[in-house]
Structure formats: C-alpha cells, structure tokens
Amino acid sequence: MGEAALKLAESDSFAIANVSLETQHAVEQFLYRQVEILDEQRWSEWLALFTEDGRYWMPADGAQTDGHRQPNIFWEDHDIMKMRIRRNNHPRAHSQAPHNRLNHVISNVIIESEEANGDIVVRSRFHCTEYFRYRTRTFSGKYRHYLKKTPDSYRIALQRVDLVNREGPWDYVLQWWL
C-alpha cells in the first residue's frame, strides 16, 4: 500500500480537524479550482495539480483501502492519465466526437486531519453532470484527498472518488475523470 492510500486508510473518515480559517479557505479554493479545471478540460493544468507519484482512484468497492492489485473503476498514475488525455484528444478519437461537457458542484468540504508539515486529508461531496451526444448523465459521491502542502498551495498525492452509483448500469464508459 502506498503512503497516500495508507494515510486515507488510517484517517478517520468522520473526523473534523480544528484548522485555521485560512487553511479551510485555501483547501476549499484548491478543490474548487480543481473541478473548474476539469470542467474546462484544461488537462495539462489538471495533471499538474498532482504530485509526481499522485494517483486518481475510483474504487469498485467502498470498503477498499488500496487500489493496488484490486478491481477498480480507475487506479491511475501520471503515465496512465497522460495516455488517457492523448487518446481522448486524438483527432481520430471517434468515441469523443463531439466532446462531452462536464459540470461539477463540490460542497461539504471537511478537513479530517492536518499534519505538522501542512499535509491535509480532506473529504467533500460532489455532484457532476455530463452532457454527451445529446444525453445527460449524473454522478454524485464523496471525494477524499490526501493533499501535500507546497509553498504556494497544495498538490494531490491521492484523490479517491466514491461514487454513489458505482455499480449502476452505464450506457457508455467513463472517458474522463469525475
């Protein structure tokens, strides 16, 4: 199990840390910026929000504590995320013609823990609407992030996405990240 997955697994997912208003505000603004970048499909900026060893994780089972060597909807490192971006943006990517549009709403941002070095474990709730080929799909669930403190902001060491409808039937595969 990687350090980031271990941090989330060991963290109390119902805890509420006593943090400064500045920290709370900075974390909220970071998360709001992340979903805005996703909605605007600014992929290189989104990828830059992750640490070099950062992961995007959407487990297939809510009880999972690690994504390694287990079934997942997504368990992606930088290389896989870059490959997905190249594949979906390729001029012959007919599965993406026309491109989809996403709209995220994020709320209930609660910091679970703050380490002495400023690293954060935070949970939040989200609702995402996808418009693609004249159809609308909705996704909702809980995010959990392990954020590494940097001099100017944060970077994502791990983003876990627990969908409410993870086992539901989908007409087509998720092409992008929620």
Side-chain angles (χ1 to χ4, degrees):
M1 180 181 301
E3 174 198 1
L6 185 62
K7 293 282 185 185
L8 287 189
E10 290 178 344
S11 178
D12 177 357
S13 63
F14 293 102
I16 300 174
N18 185 16
V19 299
S20 71
L21 289 176
E22 286 121 4
T23 298
Q24 179 72 33
H25 181 72
V27 169
E28 288 173 358
Q29 293 303 305
F30 178 85
L31 296 177
Y32 299 155
R33 178 168 160 64
Q34 180 198 9
V35 296
E36 186 170 18
I37 289 169
L38 276 172
D39 289 348
E40 298 300 322
Q41 299 182 3
R42 295 162 67 168
W43 305 120
S44 58
E45 287 178 54
W46 181 71
L47 198 56
L49 295 176
F50 286 80
T51 61
E52 285 302 313
D53 61 347
R55 294 254 179 191
Y56 180 92
W57 179 28
M58 189 181 294
D61 182 336
Q64 284 179 242
T65 57
D66 190 17
H68 188 65
R69 296 185 181 180
Q70 297 188 47
N72 296 287
I73 300 169
F74 291 108
W75 174 250
E76 298 187 355
D77 62 12
H78 262 248
D79 291 335
I80 295 173
M81 289 187 272
K82 286 178 191 174
M83 180 184 68
R84 180 185 297 275
I85 291 167
R86 281 192 309 270
R87 185 185 71 222
N88 285 339
N89 282 333
H90 193 278
R92 294 187 188 147
H94 299 293
S95 68
Q96 283 296 293
H99 282 290
N100 70 344
R101 294 191 300 259
L102 299 173
N103 188 67
H104 288 78
V105 176
I106 188 169
S107 68
N108 299 27
V109 178
I110 299 172
I111 297 173
E112 295 176 13
S113 64
E114 180 181 23
E115 297 176 10
N117 63 2
D119 293 354
I120 298 281
V121 174
V122 59
R123 69 180 177 270
S124 57
R125 302 295 175 163
F126 74 92
H127 181 86
C128 179
T129 302
E130 176 192 49
Y131 181 73
F132 184 56
R133 295 185 179 159
Y134 307 107
R135 297 183 70 192
T136 302
R137 292 194 296 184
T138 60
F139 301 94
S140 62
K142 177 170 68 172
Y143 289 137
R144 289 187 77 215
H145 288 84
Y146 177 48
L147 302 177
K148 301 289 257 177
K149 182 71 174 135
T150 66
D152 57 334
S153 184
Y154 295 94
R155 291 187 68 203
I156 302 165
L158 179 64
Q159 177 171 340
R160 178 182 171 135
V161 182
D162 285 291
L163 287 176
V164 169
N165 55 334
R166 80 175 125 248
E167 66 279 321
W170 297 337
D171 294 341
Y172 49 90
V173 190
L174 285 169
Q175 296 291 327
W176 295 107
W177 304 275
L178 298 181

